[in-house]
PDB file of all heavy atoms in Angstrom:
ATOM      1  N   ALA Q  84      30.676 164.718 154.361  1.00 92.00           N
ATOM      2  CA  ALA Q  84      31.386 165.935 153.855  1.00 92.00           C
ATOM      3  C   ALA Q  84      31.868 165.628 152.488  1.00 92.00           C
ATOM      4  O   ALA Q  84      31.774 166.554 151.638  1.00 92.00           O
ATOM      5  CB  ALA Q  84      32.604 166.122 154.747  1.00 92.00           C
ATOM      6  N   ILE Q  85      32.358 164.424 152.135  1.00 90.00           N
ATOM      7  CA  ILE Q  85      32.793 164.158 150.737  1.00 90.00           C
ATOM      8  C   ILE Q  85      31.773 164.316 149.714  1.00 90.00           C
ATOM      9  O   ILE Q  85      31.774 164.896 148.690  1.00 90.00           O
ATOM     10  CB  ILE Q  85      33.389 162.725 150.747  1.00 90.00           C
ATOM     11  CG1 ILE Q  85      34.731 162.722 151.513  1.00 90.00           C
ATOM     12  CG2 ILE Q  85      33.567 162.234 149.258  1.00 90.00           C
ATOM     13  CD1 ILE Q  85      35.222 161.231 151.671  1.00 90.00           C
ATOM     14  N   PHE Q  86      30.481 163.783 150.131  1.00 93.00           N
ATOM     15  CA  PHE Q  86      29.428 163.934 149.144  1.00 93.00           C
ATOM     16  C   PHE Q  86      28.929 165.225 148.991  1.00 93.00           C
ATOM     17  O   PHE Q  86      28.571 165.692 147.787  1.00 93.00           O
ATOM     18  CB  PHE Q  86      28.198 162.964 149.546  1.00 93.00           C
ATOM     19  CG  PHE Q  86      28.491 161.492 149.326  1.00 93.00           C
ATOM     20  CD1 PHE Q  86      28.154 160.719 150.277  1.00 93.00           C
ATOM     21  CD2 PHE Q  86      29.015 161.106 148.153  1.00 93.00           C
ATOM     22  CE1 PHE Q  86      28.431 159.220 150.069  1.00 93.00           C
ATOM     23  CE2 PHE Q  86      29.239 159.768 147.925  1.00 93.00           C
ATOM     24  CZ  PHE Q  86      28.931 158.750 148.826  1.00 93.00           C
ATOM     25  N   LEU Q  87      28.949 166.119 149.963  1.00 93.00           N
ATOM     26  CA  LEU Q  87      28.535 167.472 149.947  1.00 93.00           C
ATOM     27  C   LEU Q  87      29.582 168.290 149.075  1.00 93.00           C
ATOM     28  O   LEU Q  87      29.083 168.965 148.135  1.00 93.00           O
ATOM     29  CB  LEU Q  87      28.629 168.040 151.352  1.00 93.00           C
ATOM     30  CG  LEU Q  87      28.159 169.460 151.396  1.00 93.00           C
ATOM     31  CD1 LEU Q  87      26.596 169.542 151.294  1.00 93.00           C
ATOM     32  CD2 LEU Q  87      28.367 170.026 152.795  1.00 93.00           C
ATOM     33  N   LEU Q  88      30.818 167.938 149.245  1.00 92.00           N
ATOM     34  CA  LEU Q  88      31.913 168.643 148.443  1.00 92.00           C
ATOM     35  C   LEU Q  88      31.817 168.172 146.980  1.00 92.00           C
ATOM     36  O   LEU Q  88      32.013 169.081 146.063  1.00 92.00           O
ATOM     37  CB  LEU Q  88      33.244 168.627 149.182  1.00 92.00           C
ATOM     38  CG  LEU Q  88      33.237 169.345 150.390  1.00 92.00           C
ATOM     39  CD1 LEU Q  88      34.606 169.121 151.105  1.00 92.00           C
ATOM     40  CD2 LEU Q  88      33.010 170.801 150.373  1.00 92.00           C
ATOM     41  N   LEU Q  89      31.586 166.920 146.753  1.00 93.00           N
ATOM     42  CA  LEU Q  89      31.508 166.437 145.468  1.00 93.00           C
ATOM     43  C   LEU Q  89      30.263 166.957 144.642  1.00 93.00           C
ATOM     44  O   LEU Q  89      30.292 167.273 143.473  1.00 93.00           O
ATOM     45  CB  LEU Q  89      31.452 164.875 145.393  1.00 93.00           C
ATOM     46  CG  LEU Q  89      32.751 164.152 145.615  1.00 93.00           C
ATOM     47  CD1 LEU Q  89      32.578 162.607 145.692  1.00 93.00           C
ATOM     48  CD2 LEU Q  89      33.684 164.595 144.454  1.00 93.00           C
ATOM     49  N   GLY Q  90      29.122 167.268 145.387  1.00 93.00           N
ATOM     50  CA  GLY Q  90      27.857 167.796 144.884  1.00 93.00           C
ATOM     51  C   GLY Q  90      28.213 169.271 144.384  1.00 93.00           C
ATOM     52  O   GLY Q  90      27.810 169.651 143.384  1.00 93.00           O
ATOM     53  N   LEU Q  91      29.015 169.944 145.272  1.00 91.00           N
ATOM     54  CA  LEU Q  91      29.356 171.357 144.871  1.00 91.00           C
ATOM     55  C   LEU Q  91      30.241 171.252 143.549  1.00 91.00           C
ATOM     56  O   LEU Q  91      30.050 172.127 142.667  1.00 91.00           O
ATOM     57  CB  LEU Q  91      30.271 172.031 146.039  1.00 91.00           C
ATOM     58  CG  LEU Q  91      30.880 173.323 145.662  1.00 91.00           C
ATOM     59  CD1 LEU Q  91      29.662 174.452 145.549  1.00 91.00           C
ATOM     60  CD2 LEU Q  91      31.697 173.835 146.843  1.00 91.00           C
ATOM     61  N   ILE Q  92      31.177 170.474 143.474  1.00 93.00           N
ATOM     62  CA  ILE Q  92      31.989 170.288 142.311  1.00 93.00           C
ATOM     63  C   ILE Q  92      31.182 169.867 141.152  1.00 93.00           C
ATOM     64  O   ILE Q  92      31.284 170.493 139.967  1.00 93.00           O
ATOM     65  CB  ILE Q  92      33.236 169.296 142.434  1.00 93.00           C
ATOM     66  CG1 ILE Q  92      34.227 169.802 143.461  1.00 93.00           C
ATOM     67  CG2 ILE Q  92      33.877 168.921 141.215  1.00 93.00           C
ATOM     68  CD1 ILE Q  92      35.189 168.772 143.893  1.00 93.00           C
TER      69      ILE Q  92
END
Side-chain angles (χ1 to χ4, degrees):
I85 288 169
F86 287 134
L87 184 72
L88 295 172
L89 283 175
L91 175 65
I92 290 172

